[in-house]
Structures are given as structure tokens and as C-alpha cells.
Amino acid sequence: MSNKEDHVRNEIIFLTSNVNKFREAQSVLNRFGIRLKRMGMLERLEIQSESLEEISIYSAIHGYQMLRKPVITEDAGLFVFALRGFPGPYSSYIFRTIGVHGLLKLLDDITQRNAIFKSVVTFFDGTFLKTFSGTVQGEIATECKGNKGFGFDPIFTPKHASNKTFGEMNKTEKNKYSHRAKAFTKFAKWYSSTFKIKPS
Ligand code: IMP
């Protein structure tokens, strides 16, 4: 492959309007010499589905069809055990409607506060359609803590993290535990070995 093609190969469009997601993902991929270019969702590409995989794959295929360039999409969700996995694939709707405080209210007086964050990353370049997932176990805190990050970060305490919420962590620290960092690391390993990308 020529240098020019190498350069193009090293840049992938991440279809997301969420700048925090983009920064977390780029920070993981930096170690592998892979660069992302952020593009807000071109239009409402998401379907409504109970499967993060289905949502992520659908968005990647449609994103590629519109751009004709390698794309990555990610869909994530927060699954609370005491609520039988709710909000899961509906996390974004719940965040926009009842928000973090509404979710805390649903868990009033509930002591079993286990939850999982899951991220599903899909890559599509017209030939390879690959999906990678990452999860992190933790608990829903009893109140908001910290003002870093986004979404449900201030109420999610990952396991083995000294009781800190994601909202109290900077990007580097969150990436040691996060669902997104795990999914993007799997992607980066596959991508760099498939396309022989070396860290620059
Ligand atoms: P999305 O559909 O992938 O954007 O994620 C659904 C919702 O889950 C978002 O609106 C966020 O509120 C929440 N979410 C996803 N990932 C994270 C995260 O890493 N931290 C906190 N909240 C998240």
C-alpha cells in the first residue's frame, strides 16, 4: 500500500454527535496510530431496537452508504439489574426525558444497585462489517457525584474504582474501566492487524 493509502486507511469517520464519546474513543486509538474524524449523525440514522448490536450495525451500513468511506458507529446503554435491564437500549430516551435524577428516583429504597454499561462498536468499509462490544460492571450511586464526562457518568461507580463515579474521573481514568474503551481496544487490535497499521 502506498503512503497516501496508508494515510487514508488510518483515518476513519466516527459517526457521532457526542464529543465526549469521540474524545474517549480517540484517546484509546491514539496508542494504535488510528485517527478518527468526527461527523455528527447525517440525519436520524438510528432505528429503534432492543439490541444495541442491531442499532449500531444499521447505523454503520447506512452511514457508509451515504459517505462511501470507512465508518464507525457506537451504541451504548446502561442496564440496571433491579429494573430488569432498563433503560438498556432506551438509555438515550430516558436520559433526555427523566434524566439522571429520574433514574435515581426509580431506585429509591432499592439496595441492590448493580448495573452494567455496554458499548457496541461497528466498523464498515463496504467489505468488512465488524462488531466489537465492551462491558463494565458497577453500581448506581445514591446521588450524583462529579461533573466530568456526560450522560449517566455522575451516578455510575465502576467496580474496583475506589467508589468513584465516572463523573469524578478524567478521560484517562475512565478509559481504564469503561465499556467504550474495551470495545474500541478490541476494534483497534483487529483493525491494526488486518490493515497492518503501525503506531506513528
Ligand atoms: P447512545 O445511544 O450510545 O448515545 O447512548 C445512550 C445513552 O446512554 C446516552 O444518551 C448517555 O446518556 C448514556 N451513555 C452512553 N455511554 C455513556 C457513558 O460512557 N457514560 C455515561 N452515559 C453514557
Side-chain angles (χ1 to χ4, degrees), residues 16 18 21 24 44 46 52 55 74-78 88-93 95-96 117-119 149-154 156 166 174 178-180:
T16 181
N18 186 326
K21 274 190 179 186
E24 289 175 20
R44 201 76 199 134
E46 274 192 20
L52 299 183
I55 298 168
E74 191 233 11
D75 205 56
L78 177 64
Y90 308 107
S91 296
S92 134
Y93 178 72
F95 181 74
R96 277 186 280 119
F117 253 129
K118 181 174 177 185
S119 156
F150 68 100
F152 298 107
D153 277 346
F156 186 82
F166 274 160
K174 180 178 172 185
S178 94
H179 49 313
R180 180 162 303 105

PDB file of all heavy atoms in Angstrom, residues 16 18 21 24 44 46 52 55 74-78 88-93 95-96 117-119 149-154 156 166 174 178-180, ligand 1:
ATOM      1  N   THR A  16     -20.841  10.283  15.146  1.00  0.00           N
ATOM      2  CA  THR A  16     -21.442  10.575  16.452  1.00  0.00           C
ATOM      3  C   THR A  16     -21.543  12.074  16.652  1.00  0.00           C
ATOM      4  O   THR A  16     -20.667  12.826  16.210  1.00  0.00           O
ATOM      5  CB  THR A  16     -20.622   9.958  17.615  1.00  0.00           C
ATOM      6  OG1 THR A  16     -21.278  10.262  18.854  1.00  0.00           O
ATOM      7  CG2 THR A  16     -19.198  10.488  17.675  1.00  0.00           C
ATOM      8  N   ASN A  18     -21.751  13.080  19.712  1.00  0.00           N
ATOM      9  CA  ASN A  18     -21.305  13.188  21.106  1.00  0.00           C
ATOM     10  C   ASN A  18     -19.779  13.378  21.169  1.00  0.00           C
ATOM     11  O   ASN A  18     -19.012  12.445  20.937  1.00  0.00           O
ATOM     12  CB  ASN A  18     -21.731  11.907  21.840  1.00  0.00           C
ATOM     13  CG  ASN A  18     -21.453  11.963  23.320  1.00  0.00           C
ATOM     14  OD1 ASN A  18     -20.466  12.552  23.761  1.00  0.00           O
ATOM     15  ND2 ASN A  18     -22.314  11.329  24.092  1.00  0.00           N
ATOM     16  N   LYS A  21     -17.839  11.072  23.644  1.00  0.00           N
ATOM     17  CA  LYS A  21     -17.602   9.725  23.108  1.00  0.00           C
ATOM     18  C   LYS A  21     -16.413   9.757  22.162  1.00  0.00           C
ATOM     19  O   LYS A  21     -15.551   8.881  22.189  1.00  0.00           O
ATOM     20  CB  LYS A  21     -18.812   9.272  22.270  1.00  0.00           C
ATOM     21  CG  LYS A  21     -19.923   8.629  23.014  1.00  0.00           C
ATOM     22  CD  LYS A  21     -20.893   8.045  21.992  1.00  0.00           C
ATOM     23  CE  LYS A  21     -22.049   7.350  22.651  1.00  0.00           C
ATOM     24  NZ  LYS A  21     -22.912   6.671  21.697  1.00  0.00           N
ATOM     25  N   GLU A  24     -13.093  10.089  24.047  1.00  0.00           N
ATOM     26  CA  GLU A  24     -12.726   8.840  24.737  1.00  0.00           C
ATOM     27  C   GLU A  24     -12.211   7.815  23.729  1.00  0.00           C
ATOM     28  O   GLU A  24     -11.198   7.158  23.956  1.00  0.00           O
ATOM     29  CB  GLU A  24     -13.938   8.265  25.487  1.00  0.00           C
ATOM     30  CG  GLU A  24     -14.343   9.080  26.707  1.00  0.00           C
ATOM     31  CD  GLU A  24     -15.622   8.559  27.376  1.00  0.00           C
ATOM     32  OE1 GLU A  24     -15.993   7.387  27.157  1.00  0.00           O
ATOM     33  OE2 GLU A  24     -16.256   9.329  28.117  1.00  0.00           O
ATOM     34  N   ARG A  44     -31.260  11.356  11.109  1.00  0.00           N
ATOM     35  CA  ARG A  44     -31.607  10.371  12.136  1.00  0.00           C
ATOM     36  C   ARG A  44     -31.397   8.967  11.578  1.00  0.00           C
ATOM     37  O   ARG A  44     -32.273   8.368  10.962  1.00  0.00           O
ATOM     38  CB  ARG A  44     -33.058  10.585  12.570  1.00  0.00           C
ATOM     39  CG  ARG A  44     -33.353  10.000  13.914  1.00  0.00           C
ATOM     40  CD  ARG A  44     -32.803  10.854  15.033  1.00  0.00           C
ATOM     41  NE  ARG A  44     -32.715  10.019  16.220  1.00  0.00           N
ATOM     42  CZ  ARG A  44     -31.667   9.969  17.012  1.00  0.00           C
ATOM     43  NH1 ARG A  44     -30.609  10.681  16.776  1.00  0.00           N
ATOM     44  NH2 ARG A  44     -31.677   9.187  18.068  1.00  0.00           N
ATOM     45  N   GLU A  46     -30.565   6.306  13.377  1.00  0.00           N
ATOM     46  CA  GLU A  46     -30.814   5.226  14.327  1.00  0.00           C
ATOM     47  C   GLU A  46     -32.189   4.606  14.158  1.00  0.00           C
ATOM     48  O   GLU A  46     -33.173   5.309  13.952  1.00  0.00           O
ATOM     49  CB  GLU A  46     -30.692   5.746  15.762  1.00  0.00           C
ATOM     50  CG  GLU A  46     -29.280   5.708  16.256  1.00  0.00           C
ATOM     51  CD  GLU A  46     -29.196   5.934  17.761  1.00  0.00           C
ATOM     52  OE1 GLU A  46     -30.208   5.745  18.465  1.00  0.00           O
ATOM     53  OE2 GLU A  46     -28.106   6.295  18.206  1.00  0.00           O
ATOM     54  N   LEU A  52     -28.533  -3.369  21.019  1.00  0.00           N
ATOM     55  CA  LEU A  52     -27.532  -2.347  20.711  1.00  0.00           C
ATOM     56  C   LEU A  52     -26.796  -2.731  19.433  1.00  0.00           C
ATOM     57  O   LEU A  52     -26.420  -1.871  18.631  1.00  0.00           O
ATOM     58  CB  LEU A  52     -26.513  -2.233  21.855  1.00  0.00           C
ATOM     59  CG  LEU A  52     -27.011  -1.825  23.240  1.00  0.00           C
ATOM     60  CD1 LEU A  52     -25.839  -1.710  24.212  1.00  0.00           C
ATOM     61  CD2 LEU A  52     -27.767  -0.509  23.191  1.00  0.00           C
ATOM     62  N   ILE A  55     -28.779  -1.717  16.359  1.00  0.00           N
ATOM     63  CA  ILE A  55     -28.769  -0.261  16.164  1.00  0.00           C
ATOM     64  C   ILE A  55     -27.425   0.174  15.584  1.00  0.00           C
ATOM     65  O   ILE A  55     -27.349   0.930  14.613  1.00  0.00           O
ATOM     66  CB  ILE A  55     -29.026   0.476  17.508  1.00  0.00           C
ATOM     67  CG1 ILE A  55     -30.409   0.120  18.059  1.00  0.00           C
ATOM     68  CG2 ILE A  55     -28.895   1.988  17.329  1.00  0.00           C
ATOM     69  CD1 ILE A  55     -30.658   0.560  19.495  1.00  0.00           C
ATOM     70  N   GLU A  74     -21.203   3.746  17.220  1.00  0.00           N
ATOM     71  CA  GLU A  74     -21.218   3.118  18.533  1.00  0.00           C
ATOM     72  C   GLU A  74     -22.587   3.317  19.152  1.00  0.00           C
ATOM     73  O   GLU A  74     -23.173   4.406  19.041  1.00  0.00           O
ATOM     74  CB  GLU A  74     -20.166   3.737  19.450  1.00  0.00           C
ATOM     75  CG  GLU A  74     -19.971   2.950  20.730  1.00  0.00           C
ATOM     76  CD  GLU A  74     -20.088   3.777  21.995  1.00  0.00           C
ATOM     77  OE1 GLU A  74     -20.520   4.930  21.937  1.00  0.00           O
ATOM     78  OE2 GLU A  74     -19.772   3.259  23.057  1.00  0.00           O
ATOM     79  N   ASP A  75     -23.105   2.277  19.764  1.00  0.00           N
ATOM     80  CA  ASP A  75     -24.334   2.437  20.522  1.00  0.00           C
ATOM     81  C   ASP A  75     -24.079   1.887  21.923  1.00  0.00           C
ATOM     82  O   ASP A  75     -23.460   0.833  22.073  1.00  0.00           O
ATOM     83  CB  ASP A  75     -25.506   1.723  19.846  1.00  0.00           C
ATOM     84  CG  ASP A  75     -26.805   2.373  20.266  1.00  0.00           C
ATOM     85  OD1 ASP A  75     -26.950   3.595  20.079  1.00  0.00           O
ATOM     86  OD2 ASP A  75     -27.672   1.682  20.837  1.00  0.00           O
ATOM     87  N   ALA A  76     -24.528   2.624  22.921  1.00  0.00           N
ATOM     88  CA  ALA A  76     -24.250   2.222  24.301  1.00  0.00           C
ATOM     89  C   ALA A  76     -25.524   2.239  25.116  1.00  0.00           C
ATOM     90  O   ALA A  76     -26.512   2.877  24.725  1.00  0.00           O
ATOM     91  CB  ALA A  76     -23.223   3.171  24.922  1.00  0.00           C
ATOM     92  N   GLY A  77     -25.502   1.549  26.237  1.00  0.00           N
ATOM     93  CA  GLY A  77     -26.668   1.546  27.109  1.00  0.00           C
ATOM     94  C   GLY A  77     -26.297   1.170  28.531  1.00  0.00           C
ATOM     95  O   GLY A  77     -25.278   0.510  28.766  1.00  0.00           O
ATOM     96  N   LEU A  78     -27.138   1.612  29.445  1.00  0.00           N
ATOM     97  CA  LEU A  78     -26.962   1.317  30.867  1.00  0.00           C
ATOM     98  C   LEU A  78     -28.043   0.325  31.283  1.00  0.00           C
ATOM     99  O   LEU A  78     -29.238   0.604  31.128  1.00  0.00           O
ATOM    100  CB  LEU A  78     -27.102   2.628  31.673  1.00  0.00           C
ATOM    101  CG  LEU A  78     -27.017   2.518  33.193  1.00  0.00           C
ATOM    102  CD1 LEU A  78     -25.647   2.028  33.638  1.00  0.00           C
ATOM    103  CD2 LEU A  78     -27.296   3.887  33.834  1.00  0.00           C
ATOM    104  N   GLY A  88     -31.325   0.176  29.345  1.00  0.00           N
ATOM    105  CA  GLY A  88     -30.727  -0.567  28.235  1.00  0.00           C
ATOM    106  C   GLY A  88     -30.710   0.214  26.939  1.00  0.00           C
ATOM    107  O   GLY A  88     -30.184   1.340  26.882  1.00  0.00           O
ATOM    108  N   PRO A  89     -31.329  -0.345  25.878  1.00  0.00           N
ATOM    109  CA  PRO A  89     -31.312   0.335  24.579  1.00  0.00           C
ATOM    110  C   PRO A  89     -32.109   1.647  24.561  1.00  0.00           C
ATOM    111  O   PRO A  89     -32.025   2.409  23.603  1.00  0.00           O
ATOM    112  CB  PRO A  89     -31.927  -0.692  23.618  1.00  0.00           C
ATOM    113  CG  PRO A  89     -32.633  -1.668  24.477  1.00  0.00           C
ATOM    114  CD  PRO A  89     -31.989  -1.655  25.823  1.00  0.00           C
ATOM    115  N   TYR A  90     -32.870   1.882  25.631  1.00  0.00           N
ATOM    116  CA  TYR A  90     -33.644   3.129  25.694  1.00  0.00           C
ATOM    117  C   TYR A  90     -32.930   4.206  26.516  1.00  0.00           C
ATOM    118  O   TYR A  90     -33.534   5.205  26.900  1.00  0.00           O
ATOM    119  CB  TYR A  90     -35.040   2.847  26.292  1.00  0.00           C
ATOM    120  CG  TYR A  90     -35.739   1.714  25.583  1.00  0.00           C
ATOM    121  CD1 TYR A  90     -35.886   0.471  26.196  1.00  0.00           C
ATOM    122  CD2 TYR A  90     -36.189   1.865  24.269  1.00  0.00           C
ATOM    123  CE1 TYR A  90     -36.491  -0.590  25.520  1.00  0.00           C
ATOM    124  CE2 TYR A  90     -36.782   0.815  23.593  1.00  0.00           C
ATOM    125  CZ  TYR A  90     -36.929  -0.406  24.224  1.00  0.00           C
ATOM    126  OH  TYR A  90     -37.505  -1.451  23.555  1.00  0.00           O
ATOM    127  N   SER A  91     -31.652   3.994  26.785  1.00  0.00           N
ATOM    128  CA  SER A  91     -30.909   4.896  27.678  1.00  0.00           C
ATOM    129  C   SER A  91     -30.935   6.341  27.210  1.00  0.00           C
ATOM    130  O   SER A  91     -31.062   7.267  28.018  1.00  0.00           O
ATOM    131  CB  SER A  91     -29.460   4.426  27.811  1.00  0.00           C
ATOM    132  OG  SER A  91     -29.421   3.166  28.422  1.00  0.00           O
ATOM    133  N   SER A  92     -30.807   6.536  25.914  1.00  0.00           N
ATOM    134  CA  SER A  92     -30.733   7.911  25.439  1.00  0.00           C
ATOM    135  C   SER A  92     -32.089   8.621  25.642  1.00  0.00           C
ATOM    136  O   SER A  92     -32.139   9.773  26.078  1.00  0.00           O
ATOM    137  CB  SER A  92     -30.240   7.880  23.992  1.00  0.00           C
ATOM    138  OG  SER A  92     -30.966   8.668  23.186  1.00  0.00           O
ATOM    139  N   TYR A  93     -33.175   7.899  25.386  1.00  0.00           N
ATOM    140  CA  TYR A  93     -34.519   8.458  25.590  1.00  0.00           C
ATOM    141  C   TYR A  93     -34.746   8.768  27.078  1.00  0.00           C
ATOM    142  O   TYR A  93     -35.240   9.847  27.427  1.00  0.00           O
ATOM    143  CB  TYR A  93     -35.565   7.459  25.080  1.00  0.00           C
ATOM    144  CG  TYR A  93     -36.985   7.927  25.285  1.00  0.00           C
ATOM    145  CD1 TYR A  93     -37.506   8.963  24.518  1.00  0.00           C
ATOM    146  CD2 TYR A  93     -37.789   7.349  26.264  1.00  0.00           C
ATOM    147  CE1 TYR A  93     -38.808   9.417  24.720  1.00  0.00           C
ATOM    148  CE2 TYR A  93     -39.088   7.779  26.465  1.00  0.00           C
ATOM    149  CZ  TYR A  93     -39.590   8.817  25.698  1.00  0.00           C
ATOM    150  OH  TYR A  93     -40.862   9.260  25.904  1.00  0.00           O
ATOM    151  N   PHE A  95     -32.466   9.311  29.325  1.00  0.00           N
ATOM    152  CA  PHE A  95     -31.607  10.433  29.729  1.00  0.00           C
ATOM    153  C   PHE A  95     -32.257  11.760  29.339  1.00  0.00           C
ATOM    154  O   PHE A  95     -32.249  12.713  30.113  1.00  0.00           O
ATOM    155  CB  PHE A  95     -30.221  10.298  29.089  1.00  0.00           C
ATOM    156  CG  PHE A  95     -29.300  11.401  29.496  1.00  0.00           C
ATOM    157  CD1 PHE A  95     -28.751  11.413  30.764  1.00  0.00           C
ATOM    158  CD2 PHE A  95     -29.012  12.438  28.631  1.00  0.00           C
ATOM    159  CE1 PHE A  95     -27.915  12.447  31.169  1.00  0.00           C
ATOM    160  CE2 PHE A  95     -28.189  13.478  29.024  1.00  0.00           C
ATOM    161  CZ  PHE A  95     -27.640  13.477  30.300  1.00  0.00           C
ATOM    162  N   ARG A  96     -32.847  11.795  28.137  1.00  0.00           N
ATOM    163  CA  ARG A  96     -33.458  13.047  27.652  1.00  0.00           C
ATOM    164  C   ARG A  96     -34.766  13.370  28.373  1.00  0.00           C
ATOM    165  O   ARG A  96     -35.172  14.523  28.434  1.00  0.00           O
ATOM    166  CB  ARG A  96     -33.743  12.942  26.143  1.00  0.00           C
ATOM    167  CG  ARG A  96     -32.532  13.263  25.287  1.00  0.00           C
ATOM    168  CD  ARG A  96     -32.866  13.289  23.812  1.00  0.00           C
ATOM    169  NE  ARG A  96     -32.924  11.950  23.248  1.00  0.00           N
ATOM    170  CZ  ARG A  96     -33.995  11.400  22.690  1.00  0.00           C
ATOM    171  NH1 ARG A  96     -35.117  12.072  22.617  1.00  0.00           N
ATOM    172  NH2 ARG A  96     -33.943  10.185  22.196  1.00  0.00           N
ATOM    173  N   PHE A 117     -22.742  -1.117  32.067  1.00  0.00           N
ATOM    174  CA  PHE A 117     -22.702  -0.282  30.866  1.00  0.00           C
ATOM    175  C   PHE A 117     -22.200  -1.160  29.741  1.00  0.00           C
ATOM    176  O   PHE A 117     -21.222  -1.902  29.905  1.00  0.00           O
ATOM    177  CB  PHE A 117     -21.695   0.863  31.041  1.00  0.00           C
ATOM    178  CG  PHE A 117     -22.318   2.204  31.227  1.00  0.00           C
ATOM    179  CD1 PHE A 117     -21.943   3.010  32.291  1.00  0.00           C
ATOM    180  CD2 PHE A 117     -23.256   2.692  30.328  1.00  0.00           C
ATOM    181  CE1 PHE A 117     -22.504   4.261  32.470  1.00  0.00           C
ATOM    182  CE2 PHE A 117     -23.827   3.945  30.500  1.00  0.00           C
ATOM    183  CZ  PHE A 117     -23.441   4.725  31.570  1.00  0.00           C
ATOM    184  N   LYS A 118     -22.833  -1.060  28.591  1.00  0.00           N
ATOM    185  CA  LYS A 118     -22.373  -1.847  27.437  1.00  0.00           C
ATOM    186  C   LYS A 118     -22.196  -0.924  26.238  1.00  0.00           C
ATOM    187  O   LYS A 118     -23.011  -0.015  26.025  1.00  0.00           O
ATOM    188  CB  LYS A 118     -23.387  -2.944  27.118  1.00  0.00           C
ATOM    189  CG  LYS A 118     -22.963  -3.825  25.942  1.00  0.00           C
ATOM    190  CD  LYS A 118     -23.917  -4.994  25.734  1.00  0.00           C
ATOM    191  CE  LYS A 118     -23.495  -5.804  24.512  1.00  0.00           C
ATOM    192  NZ  LYS A 118     -24.435  -6.867  24.178  1.00  0.00           N
ATOM    193  N   SER A 119     -21.140  -1.179  25.487  1.00  0.00           N
ATOM    194  CA  SER A 119     -20.879  -0.403  24.272  1.00  0.00           C
ATOM    195  C   SER A 119     -20.724  -1.375  23.104  1.00  0.00           C
ATOM    196  O   SER A 119     -20.051  -2.401  23.241  1.00  0.00           O
ATOM    197  CB  SER A 119     -19.576   0.389  24.460  1.00  0.00           C
ATOM    198  OG  SER A 119     -18.983   0.700  23.218  1.00  0.00           O
ATOM    199  N   GLY A 149     -17.322  14.185  32.300  1.00  0.00           N
ATOM    200  CA  GLY A 149     -17.970  13.195  31.446  1.00  0.00           C
ATOM    201  C   GLY A 149     -19.330  13.652  30.946  1.00  0.00           C
ATOM    202  O   GLY A 149     -19.574  14.840  30.750  1.00  0.00           O
ATOM    203  N   PHE A 150     -20.235  12.702  30.789  1.00  0.00           N
ATOM    204  CA  PHE A 150     -21.547  13.012  30.217  1.00  0.00           C
ATOM    205  C   PHE A 150     -22.558  11.959  30.663  1.00  0.00           C
ATOM    206  O   PHE A 150     -22.196  10.974  31.326  1.00  0.00           O
ATOM    207  CB  PHE A 150     -21.463  13.051  28.676  1.00  0.00           C
ATOM    208  CG  PHE A 150     -21.208  11.708  28.050  1.00  0.00           C
ATOM    209  CD1 PHE A 150     -22.253  10.961  27.495  1.00  0.00           C
ATOM    210  CD2 PHE A 150     -19.930  11.170  28.014  1.00  0.00           C
ATOM    211  CE1 PHE A 150     -22.024   9.715  26.916  1.00  0.00           C
ATOM    212  CE2 PHE A 150     -19.692   9.924  27.440  1.00  0.00           C
ATOM    213  CZ  PHE A 150     -20.743   9.197  26.892  1.00  0.00           C
ATOM    214  N   GLY A 151     -23.794  12.176  30.262  1.00  0.00           N
ATOM    215  CA  GLY A 151     -24.849  11.183  30.479  1.00  0.00           C
ATOM    216  C   GLY A 151     -24.949  10.728  31.929  1.00  0.00           C
ATOM    217  O   GLY A 151     -25.008  11.541  32.858  1.00  0.00           O
ATOM    218  N   PHE A 152     -24.928   9.403  32.108  1.00  0.00           N
ATOM    219  CA  PHE A 152     -25.101   8.824  33.439  1.00  0.00           C
ATOM    220  C   PHE A 152     -23.785   8.719  34.214  1.00  0.00           C
ATOM    221  O   PHE A 152     -23.738   8.069  35.264  1.00  0.00           O
ATOM    222  CB  PHE A 152     -25.770   7.441  33.319  1.00  0.00           C
ATOM    223  CG  PHE A 152     -27.152   7.486  32.722  1.00  0.00           C
ATOM    224  CD1 PHE A 152     -27.393   7.038  31.421  1.00  0.00           C
ATOM    225  CD2 PHE A 152     -28.219   7.990  33.447  1.00  0.00           C
ATOM    226  CE1 PHE A 152     -28.665   7.089  30.868  1.00  0.00           C
ATOM    227  CE2 PHE A 152     -29.502   8.045  32.907  1.00  0.00           C
ATOM    228  CZ  PHE A 152     -29.722   7.594  31.610  1.00  0.00           C
ATOM    229  N   ASP A 153     -22.732   9.337  33.720  1.00  0.00           N
ATOM    230  CA  ASP A 153     -21.425   9.259  34.391  1.00  0.00           C
ATOM    231  C   ASP A 153     -21.478   9.612  35.888  1.00  0.00           C
ATOM    232  O   ASP A 153     -20.848   8.927  36.692  1.00  0.00           O
ATOM    233  CB  ASP A 153     -20.390  10.162  33.691  1.00  0.00           C
ATOM    234  CG  ASP A 153     -19.763   9.468  32.477  1.00  0.00           C
ATOM    235  OD1 ASP A 153     -19.915   8.238  32.346  1.00  0.00           O
ATOM    236  OD2 ASP A 153     -19.137  10.164  31.664  1.00  0.00           O
ATOM    237  N   PRO A 154     -22.214  10.676  36.281  1.00  0.00           N
ATOM    238  CA  PRO A 154     -22.182  11.045  37.712  1.00  0.00           C
ATOM    239  C   PRO A 154     -22.857  10.039  38.648  1.00  0.00           C
ATOM    240  O   PRO A 154     -22.711  10.148  39.859  1.00  0.00           O
ATOM    241  CB  PRO A 154     -22.955  12.378  37.757  1.00  0.00           C
ATOM    242  CG  PRO A 154     -23.055  12.831  36.357  1.00  0.00           C
ATOM    243  CD  PRO A 154     -22.978  11.637  35.478  1.00  0.00           C
ATOM    244  N   PHE A 156     -22.696   6.473  37.980  1.00  0.00           N
ATOM    245  CA  PHE A 156     -22.200   5.108  37.759  1.00  0.00           C
ATOM    246  C   PHE A 156     -20.828   4.929  38.407  1.00  0.00           C
ATOM    247  O   PHE A 156     -19.872   5.616  38.059  1.00  0.00           O
ATOM    248  CB  PHE A 156     -22.108   4.790  36.263  1.00  0.00           C
ATOM    249  CG  PHE A 156     -21.733   3.355  35.992  1.00  0.00           C
ATOM    250  CD1 PHE A 156     -22.690   2.350  36.019  1.00  0.00           C
ATOM    251  CD2 PHE A 156     -20.406   2.998  35.735  1.00  0.00           C
ATOM    252  CE1 PHE A 156     -22.346   1.013  35.779  1.00  0.00           C
ATOM    253  CE2 PHE A 156     -20.048   1.672  35.496  1.00  0.00           C
ATOM    254  CZ  PHE A 156     -21.023   0.675  35.522  1.00  0.00           C
ATOM    255  N   PHE A 166     -17.867   7.614  37.380  1.00  0.00           N
ATOM    256  CA  PHE A 166     -17.230   8.063  36.135  1.00  0.00           C
ATOM    257  C   PHE A 166     -17.186   9.598  36.097  1.00  0.00           C
ATOM    258  O   PHE A 166     -16.296  10.190  35.517  1.00  0.00           O
ATOM    259  CB  PHE A 166     -18.010   7.561  34.914  1.00  0.00           C
ATOM    260  CG  PHE A 166     -17.629   6.168  34.456  1.00  0.00           C
ATOM    261  CD1 PHE A 166     -18.521   5.438  33.654  1.00  0.00           C
ATOM    262  CD2 PHE A 166     -16.407   5.601  34.760  1.00  0.00           C
ATOM    263  CE1 PHE A 166     -18.185   4.168  33.188  1.00  0.00           C
ATOM    264  CE2 PHE A 166     -16.066   4.332  34.307  1.00  0.00           C
ATOM    265  CZ  PHE A 166     -16.955   3.613  33.514  1.00  0.00           C
ATOM    266  N   LYS A 174     -11.262   7.163  33.291  1.00  0.00           N
ATOM    267  CA  LYS A 174     -12.487   6.472  32.873  1.00  0.00           C
ATOM    268  C   LYS A 174     -12.146   5.358  31.877  1.00  0.00           C
ATOM    269  O   LYS A 174     -12.697   4.261  31.921  1.00  0.00           O
ATOM    270  CB  LYS A 174     -13.486   7.475  32.251  1.00  0.00           C
ATOM    271  CG  LYS A 174     -14.784   6.816  31.789  1.00  0.00           C
ATOM    272  CD  LYS A 174     -15.783   7.797  31.213  1.00  0.00           C
ATOM    273  CE  LYS A 174     -16.974   7.055  30.591  1.00  0.00           C
ATOM    274  NZ  LYS A 174     -17.933   7.932  29.913  1.00  0.00           N
ATOM    275  N   SER A 178     -13.797   1.685  31.278  1.00  0.00           N
ATOM    276  CA  SER A 178     -15.075   1.847  30.580  1.00  0.00           C
ATOM    277  C   SER A 178     -15.370   0.811  29.491  1.00  0.00           C
ATOM    278  O   SER A 178     -14.475   0.248  28.858  1.00  0.00           O
ATOM    279  CB  SER A 178     -15.194   3.265  30.005  1.00  0.00           C
ATOM    280  OG  SER A 178     -14.748   3.295  28.677  1.00  0.00           O
ATOM    281  N   HIS A 179     -16.652   0.583  29.329  1.00  0.00           N
ATOM    282  CA  HIS A 179     -17.235  -0.242  28.274  1.00  0.00           C
ATOM    283  C   HIS A 179     -16.723   0.212  26.904  1.00  0.00           C
ATOM    284  O   HIS A 179     -16.325  -0.575  26.073  1.00  0.00           O
ATOM    285  CB  HIS A 179     -18.764  -0.123  28.358  1.00  0.00           C
ATOM    286  CG  HIS A 179     -19.282   1.292  28.450  1.00  0.00           C
ATOM    287  ND1 HIS A 179     -18.759   2.218  29.320  1.00  0.00           N
ATOM    288  CD2 HIS A 179     -20.257   1.955  27.754  1.00  0.00           C
ATOM    289  CE1 HIS A 179     -19.385   3.369  29.175  1.00  0.00           C
ATOM    290  NE2 HIS A 179     -20.301   3.234  28.216  1.00  0.00           N
ATOM    291  N   ARG A 180     -16.709   1.542  26.702  1.00  0.00           N
ATOM    292  CA  ARG A 180     -16.305   2.098  25.400  1.00  0.00           C
ATOM    293  C   ARG A 180     -14.828   1.816  25.125  1.00  0.00           C
ATOM    294  O   ARG A 180     -14.459   1.399  24.030  1.00  0.00           O
ATOM    295  CB  ARG A 180     -16.572   3.615  25.415  1.00  0.00           C
ATOM    296  CG  ARG A 180     -16.204   4.340  24.135  1.00  0.00           C
ATOM    297  CD  ARG A 180     -16.871   5.689  24.070  1.00  0.00           C
ATOM    298  NE  ARG A 180     -18.316   5.548  24.183  1.00  0.00           N
ATOM    299  CZ  ARG A 180     -19.014   5.847  25.287  1.00  0.00           C
ATOM    300  NH1 ARG A 180     -18.422   6.374  26.334  1.00  0.00           N
ATOM    301  NH2 ARG A 180     -20.308   5.644  25.329  1.00  0.00           N
TER     302      ARG A 180
HETATM  303  P1  IMP B   1     -26.059   6.289  22.890  1.00  0.00           P
HETATM  304  O1  IMP B   1     -27.371   5.881  22.283  1.00  0.00           O
HETATM  305  O2  IMP B   1     -24.944   5.368  22.524  1.00  0.00           O
HETATM  306  O3  IMP B   1     -25.699   7.727  22.641  1.00  0.00           O
HETATM  307  O4  IMP B   1     -26.157   6.134  24.449  1.00  0.00           O
HETATM  308  C1  IMP B   1     -27.384   6.148  25.120  1.00  0.00           C
HETATM  309  C2  IMP B   1     -27.324   6.976  26.372  1.00  0.00           C
HETATM  310  O5  IMP B   1     -26.549   6.269  27.324  1.00  0.00           O
HETATM  311  C3  IMP B   1     -26.678   8.333  26.197  1.00  0.00           C
HETATM  312  O6  IMP B   1     -27.623   9.314  25.997  1.00  0.00           O
HETATM  313  C4  IMP B   1     -25.978   8.550  27.503  1.00  0.00           C
HETATM  314  O7  IMP B   1     -26.831   9.258  28.336  1.00  0.00           O
HETATM  315  C5  IMP B   1     -25.765   7.163  28.052  1.00  0.00           C
HETATM  316  N1  IMP B   1     -24.369   6.766  27.926  1.00  0.00           N
HETATM  317  C6  IMP B   1     -23.767   6.070  26.941  1.00  0.00           C
HETATM  318  N2  IMP B   1     -22.472   5.896  27.200  1.00  0.00           N
HETATM  319  C7  IMP B   1     -22.237   6.527  28.358  1.00  0.00           C
HETATM  320  C8  IMP B   1     -21.084   6.720  29.145  1.00  0.00           C
HETATM  321  O8  IMP B   1     -19.955   6.311  28.816  1.00  0.00           O
HETATM  322  N3  IMP B   1     -21.266   7.390  30.285  1.00  0.00           N
HETATM  323  C9  IMP B   1     -22.473   7.890  30.685  1.00  0.00           C
HETATM  324  N4  IMP B   1     -23.576   7.747  29.993  1.00  0.00           N
HETATM  325  C10 IMP B   1     -23.464   7.069  28.828  1.00  0.00           C
END
